[in-house]
Every structure is written in structure tokens, then in C-alpha cells.
């Protein structure tokens, strides 16, 4: 459904021409002629019409879309919250899900060490990049399949599930052999061919918000995945670009309750990439849980100074333990468990 507001100066011929055109496309119109302005209501498969296209018609002042442009991700059509089961771990249920691990998979000993530490403190999903989306082509790009093997081996040894990023349509099959959840990184949120490809996969996908994406663009990206038949989509807020330089990104926590209002999909918060500073990770993780997030994803490294990527935001295993203690207290206050 759409509303077209005609200019005050619009002629009757212009209104008639537009109405005729809309009806020819198979839509019903509803004309309302006010003293100063005429409004045309367009009823029918409104979502298939490009509302902005009407601005090209003579005499049109404004066009308003009444329906939301997304459907499958919307709470309107799916009132119950989606709970995704990954190896017995429920994402979107009462329990806060904690995903933790190094930024990049560097070597087996490091990942194993992190996996043991975080799993003993309650993390259930092991993260780590084998294909890294680095800003510079000269930075460490990840170990590729070797990294996937290390990640899976480490996760298996402590009974955790695996999440790792897939950057390329050509790698979906390969990454799918090792991971339990596909991660789509912020830089690829609007890579629509990649979204469609993971949409065809029968595995959960965690979609990170693009660094300049609006809430609507974020939800439409999730719609792309669901539109291919994959209903297991997890959203992840990881901060957006603003003018602030002290933090790596600006954590948009208000998006958490906003998404809970608009969508049935689970939402995870990543305070590591959102802040870029380890001191800020714990307080933002607590705030995320208080705001209603279904889980958090954090980076942990036993020796951040030696990390091949994102050392500044990496928690030590001992920091991670402290964070989990604090999360336990906050989750109780919002009727969740961890
Ligand atoms: C990551 O989580 O490994 C990552 C690269 O994050 P983002 O895509 O949010 O920058
Ligand atoms: Mn990182």
C-alpha cells in the first residue's frame, strides 16, 4: 500500500493520467480530493512497486510507503521469536549465547588455549576467522582451509559449536564443511550474491550489520537470505561509522530493542568490533544484555600484543572470566540466564 500526494499545482489531467497508469499496472486506486491537495491511495501488491519511481510523474509531490518493505524478517508476519538450534545451543531463547575466540585463527596452540578457557567459563560457540576481510591487502589474510580445520578441531575438543566468516560465494561450500554457523561480515552485508548463496545453504547464518547500514537496510539484507529459503538468520550489531574517533565504531545499542519490536530474528551484539578497545568491551557487553540482546560475540587472545589482528580489542582469558561473572548478574536482572 502506498500514498501519493499530488502538488497543489497538479492539474486534473496529471492526476487522471497517473491514476490510469497505476490501474493499468493492475493496482486499485483510491482518490481523495481535498480542498488544496489530491491524494492517491494505491492498493494491491504495493511492495512490488518502486515508490520513488512515482516522483518522476508530473504533479507528484511526495510518495509514502505504508507497508514495510520486508516481510519474512518481520514480526508482523511471524509474531513468535525465532529460536535457532545449533548443536543443542538455542540462539534466541532465554539463555544468553556467548560466542568467543580470537579475531583470526593463527595457529592450533593459540586457538586450543582460547577454546579451553572460554568454554570453561560458559562460551558455547567458538569464533575465529580463517578468511579475514582486512582493510589492507598487506595485512594477514587468514590461513584459509588450514584455519578452518584448526577451528573445528579446537571446538570439537571442548564441545563448542563453530562460527566463522565466509567472504566469497566460491567458498560457501568449503566453509560449510567446517562451520556450524556462517558469519557474513560487516563489509559483505550488502553483497547480495553472497547473501543469496548462504540463503541456499541449510545452515544458520549470522549477518553482521554493515558499517553504514540503516536498520531497514540491515533487515532487507536478512530478507535476502530468508528469501532463498534459509530461515535461520541471526542478526549482529557491531557498531557503525560515525564522526567519533576514540572508539573504532559507535555501538548502536538502541537497535537491539528496535529489532525486537520489528523482527522475530535473534540479535547478538559484538562489543569488540564496536569499540575497538578492550577496556570498553565488558561494559558494552553488559549494556547489550541489559538492552535485550540474545547473545554477545567477543574476541579473546592469550597474548594480545602478539595477535595478528585486532589485538587492541582482545580480552585476556582472565578478562573474559570477569566479564562472564558480570553478565551472570545482569542476565538475572532481565530474566535471562547465561
Ligand atoms: C569479525 O567478526 O571477524 C569481523 C571481521 O567483524 P566485522 O565484519 O564486524 O568487521
Ligand atoms: Mn576482529
Amino acid at each position: 500500500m502506498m500514498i501519493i500526494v499530488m502538488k497543489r499545482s497538479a492539474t486534473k489531467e496529471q492526476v487522471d493520467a497517473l491514476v490510469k497508469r497505476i490501474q493499468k499496472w493492475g493496482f486499485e486506486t483510491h482518490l481523495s480530493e481535498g480542498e488544496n491537495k489530491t491524494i492517491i491511495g494505491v492498493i494491491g501488491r504495493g511492495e512490488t512497486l518502486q515508490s520513488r519511481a512515482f516522483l518522476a510523474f508530473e504533479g507528484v509531490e511526495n510518495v509514502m510507503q505504508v507497508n514495510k518493505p520486508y516481510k519474512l524478517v518481520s514480526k508482523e508476519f511471524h509474531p513468535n521469536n525465532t529460536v535457532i538450534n545449533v548443536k543443542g545451543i538455542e540462539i534466541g531463547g532465554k539463555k544468553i549465547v556467548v560466542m568467543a575466540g580470537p579475531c583470526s585463527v593463527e595457529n592450533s596452540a593459540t586457538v586450543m588455549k582460547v577454546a579451553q578457557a572460554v568454554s570453561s567459563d560458559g562460551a558455547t560457540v567458538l569464533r575465529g576467522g580463517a578468511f579475514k576481510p582486512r582493510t589492507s591487502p598487506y595485512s594477514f589474510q587468514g590461513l584459509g582451509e588450514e584455519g578452518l580445520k584448526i577451528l573445528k578441531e579446537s571446538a570439537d575438543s571442548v564441545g563448542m559449536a563453530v562460527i566463522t566468516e565466509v567472504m566469497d560465494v566460491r567458498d560457501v561450500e568449503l566453509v560449510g564443511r567446517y562451520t556450524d554457523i556462517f558469519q557474513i561480515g560487516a563489509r559483505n552485508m550488502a553483497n547480495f550474491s553472497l547473501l543469496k548463496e548462504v540463503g541456499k545453504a541449510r545452515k544458520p547464518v549470522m549477518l553482521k550489520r554493515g558499517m553504514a547500514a540503516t536498520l531497514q537496510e540491515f533487515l532487507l539484507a536478512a530478507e535476502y537470505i530468508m528469501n532463498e529459503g534459509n530461515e535461520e538468520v541471526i542478526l549482529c550489531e557491531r557498531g557503525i561509522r560515525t564522526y567519533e574517533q576514540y572508539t573504532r565504531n559507535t555501538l548502536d545499542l538502541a537497535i537491539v530493542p528496535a529489532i525486537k519490536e520489528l523482527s522475530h530474528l535473534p540479535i547478538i551484539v559484538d562489543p569488540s568490533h564496536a569499540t575497538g578497545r578492550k577496556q570498553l568491551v565488558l561494559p558494552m557487553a553488559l549494556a547489550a544484555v541489559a538492552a535485550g540482546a540474545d547473545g554477545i560475540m567477543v574476541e579473546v587472545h592469550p597474548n594480545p600484543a602478539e595477535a595478528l589482528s585486532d589485538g587492541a580489542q582482545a580480552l585476556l582469558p582472565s578478562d573474559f572470566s570477569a566479564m562472564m561473572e558480570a553478565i551472570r548478574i545482569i542476565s538475572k536482572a532481565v530474566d535471562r540466564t547465561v
Side-chain angles (χ1 to χ4, degrees):
M1 189 174 183
M2 199 178 291
I3 291 168
I4 302 172
V5 183
M6 301 303 289
K7 283 181 186 155
R8 212 186 151 124
S9 61
T11 64
K12 189 172 175 343
E13 287 70 36
Q14 286 171 344
V15 175
D16 288 348
L18 184 51
V19 166
K20 221 179 242 167
R21 193 63 165 282
I22 296 167
Q23 288 174 348
K24 211 173 127 194
W25 285 331
F27 298 94
E28 211 181 294
T29 55
H30 189 276
L31 205 61
S32 126
E33 284 165 302
E35 220 170 281
N36 296 317
K37 280 185 183 180
T38 296
I39 289 171
I40 308 171
V42 184
I43 303 154
R45 299 161 291 121
E47 64 276 6
T48 62
L49 279 177
Q50 277 288 316
S51 58
R52 286 186 61 81
F54 287 100
L55 293 172
F57 284 83
E58 294 297 328
V60 172
E61 181 176 273
N62 201 2
V63 187
M64 283 165 282
Q65 189 94 45
V66 177
N67 292 341
K68 297 193 178 75
Y70 44 82
K71 190 178 236 164
L72 302 170
V73 303
S74 168
K75 206 157 190 156
E76 253 177 350
F77 296 93
H78 190 302
N80 295 328
N81 281 334
T82 287
V83 179
I84 296 167
N85 193 311
V86 185
K87 286 185 149 175
I89 303 155
E90 288 193 337
I91 305 175
K94 184 165 175 158
K95 196 165 175 209
I96 305 285
V97 175
V98 179
M99 307 180 178
C103 177
S104 308
V105 174
E106 299 170 358
N107 57 66
S108 176
T110 306
V111 182
M112 204 66 98
K113 207 181 223 174
V114 173
Q116 281 164 356
V118 297
S119 82
S120 73
D121 281 326
T124 50
V125 184
L126 185 64
R127 66 145 286 142
F131 294 95
K132 293 303 299 175
R134 304 308 299 281
T135 301
S136 163
Y138 307 118
S139 301
F140 176 58
Q141 302 286 306
L143 297 179
E145 185 168 8
E146 182 55 25
L148 296 173
K149 283 184 184 156
I150 292 173
L151 191 64
K152 178 155 174 53
E153 251 171 45
S154 309
D156 283 349
S157 76
V158 291
M160 292 176 85
V162 171
I163 184 167
T164 197
E165 177 161 355
V166 58
M167 286 183 20
D168 194 306
V169 174
R170 293 166 293 188
D171 295 331
V172 171
E173 202 270 325
L174 170 71
V175 174
R177 270 186 255 146
Y178 297 94
T179 199
D180 298 302
I181 307 171
F182 286 113
Q183 176 170 318
I184 301 293
R187 290 156 193 80
N188 271 319
M189 188 212 78
N191 180 341
F192 303 118
S193 11
L194 183 59
L195 299 180
K196 285 186 195 168
E197 199 63 22
V198 293
K200 289 188 191 107
R202 296 288 81 96
K203 229 168 223 198
V205 178
M206 187 173 89
L207 175 67
K208 298 189 89 173
R209 182 184 185 181
M211 41 190 112
T214 63
L215 170 53
Q216 182 160 305
E217 287 162 345
F218 188 21
L219 290 175
L220 280 169
E223 187 87 7
Y224 260 96
I225 301 171
M226 293 190 75
N227 194 37
E228 296 296 324
N230 191 343
E231 297 184 343
E232 299 188 306
V233 180
I234 304 153
L235 302 169
C236 178
E237 160 64 27
R238 46 77 73 205
I240 48 175
R241 272 273 166 97
T242 67
Y243 50 79
E244 182 52 64
Q245 307 267 294
Y246 181 77
T247 45
R248 182 174 179 181
N249 291 289
T250 297
L251 179 57
D252 180 15
L253 264 189
I255 205 175
V256 173
I259 280 174
K260 287 287 168 203
E261 208 169 298
L262 299 173
S263 178
H264 55 89
L265 296 175
I267 167 102
I268 302 290
V269 170
D270 170 356
S272 303
H273 293 91
T275 63
R277 291 175 181 256
K278 75 171 222 166
Q279 294 87 341
L280 305 182
V281 172
L282 181 148
M284 291 301 100
L286 298 188
V289 172
D294 296 299
I296 56 157
M297 169 183 262
V298 291
E299 290 185 344
V300 179
H301 197 284
N303 187 0
E306 300 286 322
L308 295 178
S309 58
D310 289 354
Q313 67 196 35
L315 298 178
L316 286 167
S318 57
D319 301 327
F320 181 79
S321 298
M323 184 191 73
M324 291 301 282
E325 271 314 302
I327 288 181
R328 246 173 266 285
I329 298 165
I330 298 294
S331 36
K332 261 192 213 135
V334 288
D335 198 25
R336 304 289 285 261
T337 57
V338 66

